[in-house]
Amino acid sequence: MKKGLRNITLAALFGVCHATGAYAQGTNAGLGLENEQTLSLSERIFKLEKHKDALNVYLNMHTSYQEHFNGEDEGGSFVGRQLRLEFVGHIDKHWGYRMRYRMNRPSKAQSDNFGSSIDIMMARYTFNERFSLEAGKLGVALGGYEYDYNPIQVLEFCDFLNGIDGFHIGVQGNYMFTKNNYVSLGLYNPNNNSITEYYKEDPTVEKTKHPLGVAVNWTGSLFGGKVETLWSYSHIHEAKKAHGNFLMLGTRVNLKKWQFVLDYYGGWEDLDHNKTVSADMSKMEDADILARDVSYNSFVGEVYYKPTPHWNCFVRGSIESASAKDNPAFHNYRKSYGYQAAVQWIPDLTQDARLSLAYIGKKVDYKKECGLEDYNRDRIELSLIYRIKVY
């Protein structure tokens, strides 16, 4: 029993997010064991007692009914938004592993030799209570809370994160320098596909001999856990004479019934890895275009309120901009505004499940010179969000 508790404690030390079941929880980086105390179906139904922590099986699902009020998708429909199967556990006090597979996404072959539907397939070795090392296809420890939330908990990502793939083959070291603060250093392949495939809009892009991404992340807990941080800087070099720099800063304030989150995401790219600007240019020119020398800036704010253990409410707003420096028509050409409000009911406190009713909208304004039309997209969404601990 003591050995099992020690393993769980080590996992918690190197977890990326410290939120409780009251709020959306982080699971993308590390082993993602944020709800270890949730009873599994095998324990609840078949009364099977677990004596080992070597195998935990989760089914992450998000299904919803959406009623759209404007835009291309006007009307209503049922949607299976997320379905991910996950295996995670500790073999002993040193070895741990994690695998996560997207079941509702077609798997396409990629040059990293993993299918596109595989989020995570990694192993971790814990040397001691301060240092661990993980390798494989992993969720790179980047900053920002919306980036790190379990995808089933996100009603709609900001534009910046829609252009980011945080799952890459690489290695990552984690060092705990105080009880509640640690740093991570990740080295990874910045593109899961070949350069010619990813940047097929421009055949002049040449691959570099040594593509590399580097990410430095600080996960912090200050003032007795009242203030938490997920701050990172990352740099990618994936093509000749082409680099990208990213700053992703998440800060969270935890009070008894309230929680406040502010994320900043910034990207400065020689080649448009995010592809938002490229997609807008291509739409305007009616041809495939790869934008160069682009920048992105996004602010995302959230306020959570939990009046009782069974109810959770939140509002979210975002302001984002995009720009292509050397194209006058697309210089500071785009402003995007996102807004969400939701009420969620948690019927069983021993399960990570909730029924969510939300209003979700986005407004995009373009500068007249770029020739694109402004648009709004709004919807009401009733969702069942359930992280099922099968075993």
Side-chain angles (χ1 to χ4, degrees):
M1 181 66 177
K2 290 182 179 179
K3 184 177 180 180
L5 286 174
R6 182 183 179 186
N7 290 341
I8 293 172
T9 302
L10 287 172
L13 287 174
F14 292 109
V16 170
C17 195
H18 307 286
T20 66
Y23 309 104
Q25 301 169 348
T27 63
N28 284 329
L31 294 185
L33 294 176
E34 85 292 345
N35 56 350
E36 273 292 287
Q37 305 308 314
T38 299
L39 289 175
S40 68
L41 295 184
S42 62
E43 292 171 296
R44 289 170 63 95
I45 298 174
F46 302 108
K47 309 301 180 184
L48 298 177
E49 185 178 355
K50 288 182 67 174
H51 298 282
K52 298 284 186 180
D53 193 40
L55 176 63
N56 296 275
V57 182
Y58 296 92
L59 188 63
N60 300 277
M61 61 173 289
H62 182 153
T63 59
S64 66
Y65 176 80
Q66 300 178 349
E67 184 70 31
H68 294 260
F69 295 102
N70 47 40
E72 300 174 355
D73 300 322
E74 188 170 344
S77 63
F78 288 95
V79 179
R81 296 192 59 203
Q82 297 279 350
L83 187 61
R84 304 185 189 217
L85 182 63
E86 188 171 354
F87 302 89
V88 61
H90 303 89
I91 305 303
D92 55 30
K93 69 179 182 180
H94 294 295
W95 286 103
Y97 69 91
R98 186 182 183 194
M99 295 177 285
R100 192 169 78 186
Y101 176 77
R102 303 189 210 185
M103 300 177 69
N104 63 332
R105 166 183 283 193
S107 189
K108 299 179 181 178
Q110 297 184 132
S111 58
D112 65 2
N113 221 22
F114 281 101
S116 59
S117 58
I118 296 175
D119 282 347
I120 300 167
M121 189 170 289
M122 53 83 78
R124 168 188 283 173
Y125 187 81
T126 300
F127 293 88
N128 51 49
E129 293 184 357
R130 286 191 178 272
F131 182 63
S132 71
L133 186 68
E134 50 198 49
K137 187 167 186 181
L138 46 86
V140 181
L142 300 177
Y145 284 94
E146 185 168 303
Y147 167 81
D148 193 56
Y149 289 155
N150 187 330
I152 66 172
Q153 302 285 8
V154 180
L155 302 179
E156 185 166 301
F157 284 101
C158 66
D159 291 343
F160 182 89
L161 292 181
N162 274 327
I164 291 291
D165 185 357
F167 306 110
H168 299 275
I169 290 179
V171 295
Q172 185 165 281
N174 310 293
Y175 180 73
M176 180 79 65
F177 59 92
T178 70
K179 183 179 179 181
N180 297 311
N181 294 268
Y182 71 91
V183 293
S184 300
L185 173 64
L187 305 175
Y188 59 95
N189 186 341
N191 200 319
N192 296 321
N193 241 326
S194 67
I195 290 297
T196 54
E197 175 65 23
Y198 192 78
Y199 293 119
K200 57 186 176 183
E201 304 94 337
D202 189 342
T204 66
V205 175
E206 298 181 62
K207 68 178 183 179
T208 182
K209 290 183 178 180
H210 301 99
L212 181 65
V214 180
V216 180
N217 179 86
W218 170 43
T219 300
S221 180
L222 308 171
F223 308 110
K226 287 185 170 59
V227 177
E228 296 176 324
T229 62
L230 282 177
W231 292 5
S232 81
Y233 165 76
S234 57
H235 177 88
I236 63 173
H237 176 48
E238 56 182 342
K240 285 187 177 180
K241 299 180 182 180
H243 300 261
N245 294 281
F246 304 90
L247 190 62
M248 300 170 66
L249 308 174
T251 303
R252 179 164 61 190
V253 177
N254 300 310
L255 304 178
K256 186 174 181 180
K257 292 186 177 182
W258 294 86
Q259 188 180 67
F260 304 88
V261 180
L262 178 62
D263 286 340
Y264 169 74
Y265 301 108
W268 301 266
E269 309 168 23
D270 294 335
L271 296 177
D272 187 13
H273 187 88
N274 187 286
K275 293 292 187 76
T276 299
V277 177
S278 297
D280 285 340
M281 283 187 176
S282 299
K283 190 185 304 181
M284 180 58 191
E285 300 294 336
D286 196 23
D288 292 335
I289 293 176
L290 174 63
R292 294 173 179 264
D293 201 1
V294 299
S295 62
Y296 296 93
N297 286 279
S298 301
F299 293 89
V300 182
E302 298 170 300
V303 178
Y304 291 85
Y305 175 59
K306 187 173 176 58
T308 74
H310 290 279
W311 290 94
N312 182 43
C313 312
F314 74 85
V315 293
R316 172 193 175 278
S318 63
I319 301 175
E320 304 182 76
S321 63
S323 178
K325 181 179 178 181
D326 296 328
N327 188 325
F330 283 84
H331 181 63
N332 294 326
Y333 78 102
R334 176 188 173 109
K335 297 287 185 182
S336 177
Y337 307 92
Y339 40 93
Q340 300 175 16
V343 177
Q344 298 180 331
W345 177 50
I346 307 167
D348 186 347
L349 297 181
T350 67
Q351 293 293 301
D352 189 6
R354 64 196 68 198
L355 191 65
S356 173
L357 177 63
Y359 187 94
I360 303 161
K362 182 169 77 170
K363 176 178 172 59
V364 178
D365 291 338
Y366 293 109
K367 189 171 71 172
K368 291 182 180 180
E369 287 80 356
C370 77
L372 296 170
E373 294 185 6
D374 302 346
Y375 68 85
N376 284 68
R377 290 177 183 167
D378 297 87
R379 71 180 188 268
I380 290 178
E381 181 170 298
L382 179 63
S383 304
L384 173 62
I385 304 169
Y386 193 2
R387 179 169 164 85
I388 306 171
K389 191 174 184 180
V390 180
Y391 180 80

